[in-house]
Amino acid sequence: MTASRELAPTRLIEVPVDPLLAVAAVARLARPPFVVYERAGTWVLAAGARVRLRMDGTGIAVTTPAGQRRVPLTAQPLRQVAEVLAEAGTEPWRAYGWAAFELARLLHLGHADGPLLDLVVPAYELVIGPDGVREHGTAPEGVAEAMRAAASQSWPGPAADLTDPDALDEDYLTAVRATVRDIQAGDADKVILSRVVPVDGEIDFPATYVAGRRGNTPARSFLLDLGGLRATGFSPETVVEVDPAGRVSTRPLAGTRALVGDPDLDLATRRELLGDPKEIFEHAISVKLAQDELAAVCAPDSVRVEEFMTVRERGSVQHLASRVRGELADGRTAWDAFAALFPSITASGIPKAAAVSAIGRNEPRRGLYSGAVLTVDSDGALDAALVLRTVFSAGGQTWLRAGAGVIALSTPEREWTETCEKLRSISRFLVPAQVRGAAG
């Protein structure tokens, strides 16, 4: 996070902190809308809204201190988003928020319903990183005191009986069988099918964030409450990363085995993963599509694959992982890269339009699941985390969700097992709301 992109004025808070505990403690004080986002050793809590942008399938609602207006959508909705944000002011700004998976229907099929994008330019940022703690804007009352007390507080722990990720889901097995038949008939090459697992009762989101972050090794983590929707998660990969110079990258993860903490067993399953034809094929076609998508928005000959098919550990699972990089072509922006890569190949399928259609036929609305939590800067940078390994709450319901990549070689039982393995990255860390320690 660069200081030039942060809100002014800047104030250094002289408090010794554990960044995770400090940001969770302040999240207890924050009123929605707020977003906590962790990237590369820095945590940011962004709260309040100087500007808020909400897009659905027909238009963009823009709220500022001067009031609200609505902009009808054109054929290039993300360019409209960029234009609206550019009107946020001449001072540097950063927006935080999320994109629903159904934004893919708008981008790839030309139509979509319901909320698709929600971004806020915050009134307050708390930045906790290697160089200390800084705040920008108007802080919630008691921020410094909450951070000072965070390390000594007794945070409530997880409960084991809030959900059962291993409960057999016959509907999911049936959907996988049907999708395998469709793929064999030529409808698509790969479709990621997901299933919903309910959670009993309300959970304590800040405490769950603390417990889950301690038990996971994510590429990004987040905690958000935008009013009506709460979520916390531990993203295994990014959809896209763009820096101010136009360097862009994406990291597809495809191919999965469990990670149980036993060195011998984990090494055996890693070797199995690296030698499994189904997993290798699934990963290779994902990397190939990522190359093609970046090539559409990047300078000729700038797209390259790095770290091909390494193994990355992410909480309760290990994945085959690669990195694809490029440099944006003249006239292209971070939003063009986001449009090209969204939704993530590893959460939708190949080709994307066919996969998105298949998902719509077989699943209830995904919303934030397999969409993105993102930050976008006035200097052209954008960072979007894929929303997996996440717990959600809205409308009085709390739930988890996980999916698996279905190809012609898939078996329903193995894909169901894969969803169980992924769900354990979050199901083991749920803290019920009624259990409160000194953290309050």
Side-chain angles (χ1 to χ4, degrees), residues 140-377:
E141 186 176 350
V143 166
E145 292 78 7
M147 286 192 293
R148 290 189 183 97
S152 61
Q153 291 174 345
S154 176
W155 287 82
D161 59 351
L162 298 182
T163 189
D164 182 6
D166 298 323
L168 191 61
D169 189 336
E170 290 290 352
D171 290 341
Y172 185 74
L173 298 177
T174 299
V176 172
R177 293 187 190 99
T179 301
V180 169
R181 290 194 296 270
D182 290 343
I183 290 172
Q184 292 171 342
D187 285 0
D189 296 322
K190 174 183 175 182
V191 177
I192 285 75
L193 289 184
S194 72
R195 64 187 183 96
V196 176
V197 177
V199 174
D200 292 336
E202 291 287 325
I203 68 163
D204 182 329
F205 272 87
T208 296
Y209 180 62
V210 169
R213 182 59 185 86
R214 284 171 167 168
N216 277 279
T217 51
R220 306 285 188 271
S221 72
F222 56 86
L223 168 66
L224 61 84
D225 185 343
L226 295 182
L229 172 66
R230 291 179 292 166
T232 189
F234 312 96
S235 174
E237 64 183 277
T238 53
V239 179
V240 63
E241 304 164 46
V242 186
D243 71 14
R247 292 182 290 262
V248 56
S249 74
T250 185
R251 168 160 254 169
L253 272 61
T256 305
R257 284 294 185 275
L259 188 66
V260 299
D262 180 314
D264 293 334
L265 183 57
D266 288 338
L267 178 59
T269 54
R270 176 177 297 216
R271 288 171 174 166
E272 177 185 309
L273 174 61
L274 286 165
D276 188 308
K278 181 265 180 185
E279 304 288 6
I280 292 171
F281 175 77
E282 181 183 349
H283 185 79
I285 61 175
S286 298
V287 173
K288 178 61 169 66
L289 181 56
Q291 285 182 275
D292 294 343
E293 290 175 338
L294 274 187
V297 296
C298 286
D301 302 322
S302 71
V303 177
R304 60 200 181 276
V305 178
E306 299 177 355
E307 307 172 41
F308 180 67
M309 218 166 69
T310 59
V311 177
R312 295 291 175 185
E313 297 181 354
R314 295 288 187 254
S316 61
V317 291
Q318 48 192 328
H319 294 290
L320 296 178
S322 298
R323 170 79 71 178
V324 185
R325 296 186 186 275
E327 297 173 9
L328 289 176
D330 291 343
R332 295 290 193 169
T333 72
W335 284 108
D336 293 313
F338 182 77
L341 290 161
F342 187 86
S344 174
I345 299 161
T346 54
S348 55
I350 303 169
K352 279 188 179 175
V356 169
S357 293
I359 289 166
R361 292 193 301 270
N362 286 283
E363 297 184 16
R365 178 182 172 87
R366 286 186 172 186
L368 181 54
Y369 170 76
S370 70
V373 173
L374 67 153
T375 70
V376 57
D377 286 44

Side-chain angles (χ1 to χ4, degrees), residues 35-51:
V35 176
V36 171
Y37 195 71
E38 177 203 0
R39 175 188 180 189
T42 296
W43 275 259
V44 178
L45 183 145
R50 289 193 293 160
V51 179

